[in-house]
Amino acid sequence: MVAAAAAPDEPEPSPYSRYVDAGGIRTHLLDAGAGPALLLLHGGEYGAAAELTWEGCLPLLAERYRVLAVDLVGYGRSAKLRDFAGGQRRLMIRQVAALLAALEVEPVAVVGTSLSARMVLDTAARSAAAPGTPDRADPPWPLRAVVAAGIGLAPPDAAGRRVLEDFDGTLDGLRPSMAVLFHDPAWRDSEAYLRRRYAFTAIPGAWETAAAANLRSPVRAGGERRTHVQAPPRDYGGISVPVALIRGEHDRLVPDDTWRALAAQIPGARTTTIAGAGHYPQIERPAEFAAAVLEFLAEIAPVEVRR
């Protein structure tokens, strides 16, 4: 019998770390810089966290904005909770709304990537919908602009998504996800970075909260246990806030055609492709990613650069 490997030590917190009670959810975030608020949200794979997702971009963005990089509920250092009745994404939407209210942040530009990018666009679409439309019961966010990275009009590539979702909790079990997320060998093949991601999956409750997404009651759906269910595409044509879409040139989860189809659906959407990057250009090419965000935001609402 082979003994289980010892869990890694919990990652050291960032110097920008703080905690806020967001509607009863203990929420961890990185809070840096001053000026207009810029909210950064991470993706939805095992090991996702604000620190790993935004550490390269945060100092660059904080030169002009107050940057709030949040660990969504169930991820990073935030509380490990799951809403089986209302849905986890709705719980995240409520968490973010409560956080912004607690910090008295309004309005806010939001940068989302992968799972959170979809959530931000969905929130923007709901905010623009007519009263009485389904989902309008979700609390609104005071959005002034949206940057969505790593999504297209269609759901993510199914094969790549299965790799990200089928994680057994071991270091080697996390290894295949690196080739899905990253293109640059400096990141894709980095043992040190893999171990950092693994440390976040080993925080108590992190694996359990994420793995619970595959649980289905035998009472529902005719007793059939369904996994890897894809939601139908939403109509984003009514979004009224400025939107920028960013894609890594070699994103294995988001083909170029579905990304361009999304851009065509959103009025006035700006598009930027980051060369040499995969699904997470903000990690592989943080300077280029931050420059694209800053340029977009400067066009819609210029801010004074602090000296």
Side-chain angles (χ1 to χ4, degrees):
M1 180 177 179
V2 179
D9 294 334
E10 185 167 324
E12 289 293 322
S14 162
Y16 304 110
S17 289
R18 63 178 294 198
Y19 289 87
V20 172
D21 183 329
I25 299 172
R26 188 170 189 259
T27 297
H28 173 260
L29 67 151
L30 310 180
D31 189 343
L38 179 59
L39 179 69
L40 308 181
L41 302 176
H42 57 73
E45 78 283 357
Y46 285 95
E51 288 149 87
L52 291 182
T53 304
W54 300 113
E55 60 189 355
C57 291
L58 188 145
L60 303 171
L61 298 173
E63 292 180 2
R64 302 189 186 186
Y65 294 90
R66 181 189 180 187
V67 179
L68 307 169
V70 179
D71 281 335
L72 294 168
V73 60
Y75 288 92
R77 304 176 197 277
S78 287
K80 304 299 181 283
L81 305 171
R82 187 145 204 115
D83 186 342
F84 289 100
Q88 195 70 356
R89 293 197 187 193
R90 284 189 167 180
L91 181 60
M92 293 174 181
I93 290 169
R94 295 197 300 271
Q95 175 198 19
V96 171
L99 174 71
L100 295 175
L103 297 176
E104 299 182 338
V105 169
E106 184 175 348
V108 64
V110 183
V111 183
T113 182
S114 198
L115 172 141
S116 67
R118 181 74 64 194
M119 185 168 67
V120 176
L121 284 184
D122 285 351
T123 301
R126 282 193 294 268
S127 298
T133 301
D135 294 340
R136 279 295 299 268
D138 291 334
W141 298 354
L143 293 172
R144 74 177 182 92
V146 169
V147 179
I151 61 168
L153 187 60
D157 172 76
R161 183 173 175 177
R162 278 194 292 271
V163 171
L164 298 181
E165 292 180 343
D166 294 338
F167 170 53
D168 62 4
T170 67
L171 178 66
D172 283 339
L174 191 64
R175 199 177 300 276
S177 69
M178 299 286 281
V180 173
L181 296 175
F182 303 111
H183 172 74
D184 188 339
W187 294 95
R188 184 190 65 214
D189 303 333
S190 171
E191 191 71 14
Y193 189 72
L194 171 66
R195 290 181 178 276
R196 288 185 66 202
R197 292 182 65 83
Y198 181 58
F200 277 97
T201 73
I203 291 175
W207 184 90
E208 293 87 343
T209 306
N214 285 329
L215 293 176
R216 294 290 184 275
S217 168
V219 176
R220 293 187 293 153
E224 181 182 0
R225 184 175 184 269
R226 300 179 299 155
T227 58
H228 314 299
V229 176
Q230 304 279 7
R234 182 181 291 271
D235 181 3
Y236 298 114
I239 292 178
S240 58
V241 298
V243 174
L245 302 176
I246 300 178
R247 177 182 179 269
E249 178 186 16
H250 304 285
D251 192 335
R252 289 184 54 186
L253 289 169
V254 183
D256 184 72
D257 59 347
T258 185
W259 180 66
R260 295 196 179 279
L262 176 62
Q265 194 181 88
I266 301 174
R270 174 175 179 156
T271 59
T272 302
T273 299
I274 306 294
H279 188 59
Y280 279 158
Q282 73 276 10
I283 297 175
E284 294 181 273
R285 299 290 185 267
E288 292 88 337
F289 187 94
V293 172
L294 291 173
E295 182 179 349
F296 166 66
L297 295 178
E299 286 183 359
I300 63 171
V303 296
E304 182 179 350
V305 180
R306 303 192 314 280
R307 303 292 184 186

